[in-house]
Structures are given as structure tokens and as C-alpha cells.
Amino acid sequence: TDRLEAILSDSPHPVSMAFYETLITAAELHHKKNKDYGTDDDPLRNVRASEDIGIPAWKGSWMRAKDKVRRLDTFCLKGKLANEGVEDAWFDLAVYSLICVVLFREHLLQK
């Protein structure tokens, strides 16, 4: 988008460039996972499933993020994970956090 191009054209520091590249990787991951978890009508349908049992979607997303936090806590304590790479968990945590923002804003607009 124009906003991203404006940031990148400002010659950011190499560390900042690594951050922006990581954001793009997270966006690509989110896009790919939408094909498996979302629907054509709602790419966040899997996260909104918490609404089926009375939990607002943004809270459901936060619970999924907390699962990733717990997994990362395990990594910090044990130095390894059995079923998922640590970077995968960090990316999932980042994406769930951003989904929380989107769904929380949507929730506020519905009030």
C-alpha cells in the first residue's frame, strides 16, 4: 500500500527494515492461513467461532494468543518445543494480536 511504500522510501535503519520484512512475512502467513481457516465470506470465521458460545470474537482471538504465550513460556523454560517452531509461535502470537485489534475495533463500532 501507499502507507508501507512511504515508510520504506524513508530509508529506514537496517534493523527497522528487518522489522518491516517480518511484518510482511506475518501478513503473508495470515493470508495463507485464511485459505485454511477462514471462509470466502469471512476470512476470520474461525476466530469468530467463539461467538457461537457467547464469547466476543476479540476475546476468542486473545485466548488463542494466550495459548501461544504459554507455548513460548515453555520454550523459555525448556529451550525447545515439541510440536511447533518457536518462530512459528511468535508469528502466530503477532498475527493473533493484530486480529485482536481488528476485532476489538469492530466490536466497539457495533456498540
Side-chain angles (χ1 to χ4, degrees), residues 49-57 59:
S50 64
E51 293 175 337
D52 297 344
I53 58 170
I55 299 170
K59 287 184 180 181

Side-chain angles (χ1 to χ4, degrees), residues 7-94:
I7 290 169
L8 297 178
S9 69
D10 192 27
S11 301
H13 188 277
V15 172
S16 291
M17 279 303 297
F19 175 80
Y20 299 130
E21 288 293 330
T22 304
L23 284 176
I24 292 167
T25 300
E28 291 168 343
L29 175 68
H30 173 68
H31 180 71
K32 286 179 190 175
K33 286 192 175 190
N34 278 347
K35 295 180 185 316
D36 293 334
Y37 294 109
T39 65
D40 289 341
D41 294 335
D42 185 0
L44 299 179
R45 179 62 199 129
N46 66 313
V47 179
R48 290 182 206 280
S50 64
E51 293 175 337
D52 297 344
I53 58 170
I55 299 170
W58 70 269
K59 287 184 180 181
S61 182
W62 180 238
M63 290 305 298
R64 291 171 187 235
K66 288 180 72 161
D67 287 342
K68 298 303 175 175
V69 169
R70 297 288 185 231
R71 188 178 301 273
L72 291 165
D73 285 346
T74 297
F75 175 76
C76 288
L77 294 170
K78 296 182 178 181
K80 62 180 181 174
L81 294 173
N83 297 304
E84 177 179 45
V86 67
E87 285 196 17
D88 293 335
W90 277 321
F91 273 108
D92 286 343
L93 176 59

